[in-house]
Amino acid sequence: MEQNPAERPSATPSTRPLGTRLDGIADLDAAVRAVTAHPGPVEITVGPGQLAGRHLGSVPQRQVGESLRGAGADPLMIRADISIDQDIPDEGVIAVLDDHLSLAAGMGAEYLVVPRAGVGGRGRSEDRIFSMLAALAEAASAHQVHLLLETEGATEDEVELVRYLERARAAGTLDVDPHYLASVAWNVAASTAAGEGPAAAFERMRPLLDLAPLIISGVDEDAVEDLFAAVPELREAAATARIIVILGRPRAAGA
């Protein structure tokens, strides 16, 4: 006999599948098998020896994207192999990241994650970083891709940069579609190593959730459970896709 739904024990709220990173996989069949075994959010690291590179032709881009989405990749993300702080001229950073945006759009990816190089690799003021991000945010919006700035340590700087972008958009000085607002990829391992506790870090980022999803990286399965226990609101946010968790610890930019 069918049990009365009212008499059934209440179920634990469902959580969106934890995402996976395709790193060091260059073969499409192997990538499809990996995604089929772990459907949900998928992040692709761009670069030599990887499935996707900046100069992948338009037809292969579409084929790779369609194959991965068909295997269950939702959403699909691209992680740039260059940081916003890279020690090359500003124009070179913009040109390379614009190639990444074209790659993301060609593959049908929804997000581009842009790392920071870390304090040791900084050679630019925050004003210059903001100007570069503003140009990238406009380009990302034109490509219909969400731009995500990955935290390099404590999250304050990155969150403030994204807030500046939103203020500029609201003031009409930044041409960005509200659907494609920039956000943050929270590298939990990096912010923890910088001495910022998860509750304090999330408190800084919480206002961004009203604008665009957050990406969480730098965690394995045990670490993400610890994170959800420390900040219970994150579990609910994950269940409603307001945050997207990618398992695995990303390599340093350019590594």
Coordinates of all heavy atoms in Angstrom, one line a residue, residues 78-121:
I78 N 35.1 27.3 -17.9 CA 36.5 27.4 -18.4 C 37.3 28.1 -17.4 O 37.0 29.1 -16.9 CB 36.5 28.1 -19.8 CG1 35.7 27.4 -20.8 CG2 38.0 28.2 -20.2 CD1 36.1 26.0 -21.2
R79 N 38.5 27.5 -17.1 CA 39.4 28.1 -16.2 C 40.6 28.6 -17.0 O 41.3 27.8 -17.6 CB 39.9 27.2 -15.0 CG 40.7 27.9 -14.0 CD 41.0 27.1 -12.8 NE 41.6 27.9 -11.7 CZ 42.9 28.1 -11.5 NH1 43.7 27.5 -12.3 NH2 43.3 28.8 -10.5
A80 N 40.9 29.9 -17.0 CA 41.9 30.5 -17.8 C 43.3 30.0 -17.3 O 43.5 29.7 -16.1 CB 41.9 32.0 -17.7
D81 N 44.3 29.9 -18.2 CA 45.6 29.5 -17.9 C 46.5 30.7 -17.7 O 47.8 30.6 -17.7 CB 46.2 28.6 -18.9 CG 46.4 29.2 -20.3 OD1 45.8 30.3 -20.5 OD2 47.0 28.5 -21.2
I82 N 45.9 31.9 -17.5 CA 46.7 33.1 -17.3 C 46.0 33.9 -16.2 O 44.7 33.8 -16.1 CB 46.8 33.9 -18.6 CG1 47.7 35.1 -18.4 CG2 45.5 34.4 -19.1 CD1 48.0 35.9 -19.7
S83 N 46.7 34.6 -15.4 CA 46.1 35.4 -14.3 C 45.9 36.8 -14.7 O 46.6 37.3 -15.6 CB 46.9 35.3 -13.0 OG 48.0 36.2 -13.1
I84 N 45.0 37.5 -14.0 CA 44.8 38.9 -14.3 C 46.1 39.7 -13.9 O 46.3 40.9 -14.3 CB 43.6 39.5 -13.5 CG1 43.1 40.8 -14.1 CG2 43.8 39.5 -12.0 CD1 42.5 40.8 -15.4
D85 N 46.9 39.1 -13.0 CA 48.1 39.8 -12.6 C 49.4 39.4 -13.3 O 50.5 39.7 -12.9 CB 48.4 39.5 -11.1 CG 47.2 39.8 -10.2 OD1 47.0 40.9 -9.8 OD2 46.5 38.8 -9.9
Q86 N 49.2 38.6 -14.4 CA 50.3 38.1 -15.1 C 51.4 39.1 -15.5 O 51.0 40.3 -15.8 CB 49.9 37.4 -16.4 CG 50.9 36.4 -17.0 CD 50.8 35.1 -16.3 OE1 49.9 34.8 -15.6 NE2 51.8 34.2 -16.6
D87 N 52.7 38.8 -15.4 CA 53.7 39.7 -15.6 C 54.0 39.9 -17.1 O 55.1 39.6 -17.6 CB 55.0 39.3 -14.8 CG 56.1 40.3 -14.8 OD1 55.7 41.5 -15.0 OD2 57.2 40.0 -14.6
I88 N 53.0 40.4 -17.8 CA 53.2 40.8 -19.2 C 52.4 42.1 -19.3 O 51.6 42.5 -18.4 CB 52.7 39.7 -20.2 CG1 51.2 39.4 -19.9 CG2 53.5 38.4 -20.0 CD1 50.6 38.4 -20.9
P89 N 52.5 42.8 -20.4 CA 51.8 44.1 -20.6 C 50.3 43.9 -20.5 O 49.7 42.8 -20.8 CB 52.2 44.6 -22.0 CG 53.5 44.0 -22.2 CD 53.5 42.6 -21.6
D90 N 49.6 44.9 -20.0 CA 48.1 44.8 -19.8 C 47.4 44.4 -21.1 O 46.5 43.5 -21.0 CB 47.6 46.2 -19.5 CG 48.0 46.7 -18.1 OD1 48.9 46.1 -17.5 OD2 47.5 47.8 -17.7
E91 N 47.9 44.9 -22.2 CA 47.2 44.5 -23.5 C 47.4 43.0 -23.8 O 46.5 42.4 -24.4 CB 47.8 45.3 -24.6 CG 47.6 46.8 -24.6 CD 48.6 47.5 -23.6 OE1 49.5 46.8 -23.1 OE2 48.4 48.7 -23.4
G92 N 48.5 42.4 -23.4 CA 48.7 41.0 -23.6 C 47.7 40.2 -22.7 O 47.2 39.2 -23.2
V93 N 47.6 40.6 -21.5 CA 46.6 39.9 -20.6 C 45.2 39.9 -21.2 O 44.5 38.9 -21.3 CB 46.7 40.5 -19.2 CG1 45.6 39.8 -18.3 CG2 48.0 40.3 -18.5
I94 N 44.8 41.1 -21.6 CA 43.4 41.3 -22.1 C 43.3 40.5 -23.4 O 42.2 39.8 -23.6 CB 43.2 42.8 -22.5 CG1 43.1 43.6 -21.2 CG2 41.9 43.0 -23.2 CD1 42.0 43.3 -20.3
A95 N 44.3 40.5 -24.3 CA 44.2 39.7 -25.5 C 44.0 38.2 -25.2 O 43.2 37.5 -25.9 CB 45.4 40.0 -26.4
V96 N 44.8 37.7 -24.3 CA 44.8 36.2 -24.0 C 43.4 35.9 -23.4 O 42.8 34.9 -23.7 CB 45.9 35.8 -23.1 CG1 45.7 34.4 -22.6 CG2 47.3 36.0 -23.8
L97 N 43.0 36.7 -22.4 CA 41.7 36.4 -21.8 C 40.5 36.6 -22.7 O 39.5 35.9 -22.6 CB 41.5 37.3 -20.5 CG 42.5 36.9 -19.4 CD1 42.3 37.9 -18.2 CD2 42.2 35.5 -18.9
D98 N 40.6 37.5 -23.7 CA 39.6 37.6 -24.7 C 39.5 36.4 -25.5 O 38.4 35.9 -25.9 CB 39.9 38.9 -25.6 CG 38.6 39.2 -26.4 OD1 37.6 39.4 -25.8 OD2 38.7 39.3 -27.6
D99 N 40.7 35.8 -25.8 CA 40.7 34.5 -26.5 C 40.0 33.4 -25.7 O 39.3 32.6 -26.2 CB 42.1 34.0 -26.8 CG 42.8 34.7 -27.9 OD1 42.1 35.4 -28.7 OD2 44.1 34.6 -28.1
H100 N 40.2 33.4 -24.4 CA 39.5 32.5 -23.5 C 38.0 32.7 -23.5 O 37.2 31.8 -23.5 CB 40.0 32.7 -22.1 CG 41.3 32.0 -21.8 ND1 42.5 32.6 -22.1 CD2 41.6 30.8 -21.2 CE1 43.5 31.8 -21.7 NE2 43.0 30.7 -21.2
L101 N 37.6 34.0 -23.6 CA 36.1 34.2 -23.7 C 35.6 33.7 -25.0 O 34.5 33.1 -25.0 CB 35.9 35.8 -23.6 CG 36.0 36.4 -22.2 CD1 36.0 37.9 -22.3 CD2 34.9 35.9 -21.3
S102 N 36.3 33.9 -26.1 CA 35.8 33.3 -27.3 C 35.7 31.8 -27.3 O 34.8 31.2 -27.8 CB 36.8 33.7 -28.5 OG 36.8 35.1 -28.6
L103 N 36.7 31.2 -26.6 CA 36.7 29.7 -26.4 C 35.5 29.3 -25.6 O 34.8 28.3 -26.0 CB 38.0 29.3 -25.8 CG 38.1 27.8 -25.4 CD1 38.1 26.9 -26.6 CD2 39.4 27.6 -24.5
A104 N 35.3 30.0 -24.5 CA 34.1 29.7 -23.7 C 32.8 29.8 -24.5 O 32.0 28.9 -24.4 CB 34.1 30.6 -22.4
A105 N 32.7 30.9 -25.2 CA 31.4 31.1 -26.0 C 31.3 30.0 -27.0 O 30.2 29.5 -27.3 CB 31.4 32.5 -26.6
G106 N 32.4 29.6 -27.7 CA 32.4 28.6 -28.8 C 32.0 27.3 -28.2 O 31.4 26.4 -28.9
M107 N 32.4 27.0 -27.0 CA 32.1 25.7 -26.4 C 30.7 25.7 -25.7 O 30.2 24.6 -25.2 CB 33.1 25.3 -25.4 CG 34.5 25.0 -26.0 SD 35.8 24.6 -24.8 CE 35.1 23.1 -24.1
G108 N 30.1 26.8 -25.6 CA 28.8 26.9 -24.9 C 29.0 26.9 -23.4 O 28.0 26.6 -22.7
A109 N 30.2 27.3 -22.9 CA 30.4 27.4 -21.5 C 29.7 28.7 -20.9 O 29.7 29.7 -21.6 CB 31.9 27.4 -21.2
E110 N 29.3 28.6 -19.7 CA 28.6 29.7 -19.1 C 29.5 30.6 -18.3 O 29.1 31.7 -18.0 CB 27.5 29.1 -18.2 CG 26.4 28.4 -18.9 CD 25.3 27.9 -18.0 OE1 24.9 28.7 -17.1 OE2 24.8 26.8 -18.2
Y111 N 30.7 30.1 -17.9 CA 31.5 30.8 -17.0 C 33.0 30.8 -17.4 O 33.4 29.8 -18.0 CB 31.5 30.2 -15.5 CG 30.1 30.2 -14.9 CD1 29.3 29.2 -15.0 CD2 29.8 31.3 -14.1 CE1 28.0 29.2 -14.4 CE2 28.5 31.3 -13.5 CZ 27.6 30.3 -13.6 OH 26.4 30.3 -13.0
L112 N 33.7 31.9 -17.2 CA 35.2 31.9 -17.3 C 35.7 32.3 -16.0 O 35.4 33.4 -15.5 CB 35.6 32.9 -18.4 CG 37.1 33.1 -18.5 CD1 37.8 31.8 -19.0 CD2 37.5 34.3 -19.4
V113 N 36.6 31.5 -15.4 CA 37.2 31.7 -14.1 C 38.6 32.3 -14.4 O 39.4 31.7 -15.1 CB 37.4 30.4 -13.3 CG1 38.1 30.7 -12.0 CG2 36.0 29.8 -13.0
V114 N 38.9 33.5 -13.9 CA 40.1 34.2 -14.1 C 40.9 34.2 -12.8 O 40.5 34.8 -11.8 CB 39.9 35.6 -14.6 CG1 41.3 36.3 -14.8 CG2 39.2 35.6 -15.9
P115 N 42.0 33.5 -12.7 CA 42.8 33.5 -11.4 C 43.5 34.8 -11.2 O 43.7 35.6 -12.1 CB 43.8 32.3 -11.7 CG 43.4 31.7 -12.9 CD 42.6 32.7 -13.7
R116 N 44.0 34.9 -10.0 CA 45.0 36.0 -9.6 C 46.3 35.3 -9.4 O 46.4 34.1 -9.0 CB 44.5 36.8 -8.4 CG 43.2 37.5 -8.7 CD 43.0 38.6 -7.8 NE 43.9 39.7 -8.0 CZ 43.9 40.9 -7.4 NH1 42.9 41.2 -6.6 NH2 44.7 41.9 -7.7
A117 N 47.4 36.0 -9.6 CA 48.7 35.4 -9.5 C 49.2 35.3 -8.1 O 50.2 34.6 -7.8 CB 49.7 36.2 -10.3
G118 N 48.6 36.0 -7.2 CA 49.1 36.0 -5.8 C 50.0 37.2 -5.5 O 50.4 37.9 -6.5
V119 N 50.2 37.5 -4.3 CA 50.9 38.7 -3.9 C 52.3 38.8 -4.5 O 52.7 39.9 -5.0 CB 51.0 38.8 -2.4 CG1 51.8 40.0 -1.9 CG2 49.6 38.9 -1.7
G120 N 52.9 37.7 -4.6 CA 54.3 37.7 -5.1 C 54.4 38.0 -6.6 O 55.4 38.5 -7.1
G121 N 53.3 37.8 -7.3 CA 53.3 38.1 -8.8 C 52.6 39.4 -9.1 O 52.5 39.7 -10.3

